[in-house]
Amino acid sequence: MDKKSEKQLEEELKDLKVKHGTVYSVIVPLDPDNADDTATIYLKRSNRIITSAVRKTAQSDALKGVETALKSLYIGGDSLAIVTGNDYAVQSCESAVVEILSVQEATLKKN
């Protein structure tokens, strides 16, 4: 489970943007005692099916929901196994997953 170099990550990100449009970069801390130990993963925008599955899973187990989202949205970067194999890393991804799955609220106007 090797991590990629900065140059490899930059080149991959360019390709992924062409292929997927919106790409989210998530810098994941891997060790609470070492702020420099991180992994970079790239996630795509969620869709209705993925969002529904994640929400259903998260009802019974929030971390399983985060892991489901990561596995469904992952499109590149460092190996996802580096993140999913580390409980601290999965917990660290929770806020990023929530942000990706959130949508802008519609505005209701009475005419």
Side-chain angles (χ1 to χ4, degrees):
M1 293 187 291
D2 294 327
K3 291 196 256 181
K4 296 178 180 175
S5 70
E6 289 296 321
K7 185 175 180 169
Q8 289 172 314
L9 289 168
E10 287 175 19
E11 290 174 10
E12 184 177 18
L13 180 58
K14 286 179 190 175
D15 294 338
L16 291 171
K17 283 182 177 180
V18 170
K19 184 175 181 181
H20 295 280
T22 300
V23 175
Y24 298 97
S25 298
V26 182
I27 311 303
V28 184
L30 300 173
D31 181 353
D33 299 323
N34 182 358
D36 295 328
D37 189 9
T38 62
T40 300
I41 57 172
Y42 299 127
L43 305 178
K44 65 182 178 179
R45 181 178 289 165
S46 186
N47 60 37
R48 190 168 139 185
I49 295 167
I50 293 170
T51 301
S52 177
V54 170
R55 287 185 178 162
K56 186 173 184 175
T57 305
Q59 285 177 348
S60 60
D61 186 339
L63 288 182
K64 277 253 191 253
V66 172
E67 192 171 344
T68 299
L70 293 174
K71 289 179 179 178
S72 300
L73 301 174
Y74 176 81
I75 54 175
D78 291 324
S79 170
L80 185 59
I82 294 171
V83 176
T84 58
N86 179 326
D87 291 340
Y88 179 76
V90 173
Q91 291 173 23
S92 298
C93 290
E94 188 171 5
S95 62
V97 166
V98 167
E99 190 172 334
I100 290 171
L101 296 179
S102 65
V103 294
Q104 190 174 4
E105 286 190 31
T107 303
L108 175 66
K109 286 177 112 180
K110 185 176 180 179
N111 297 317

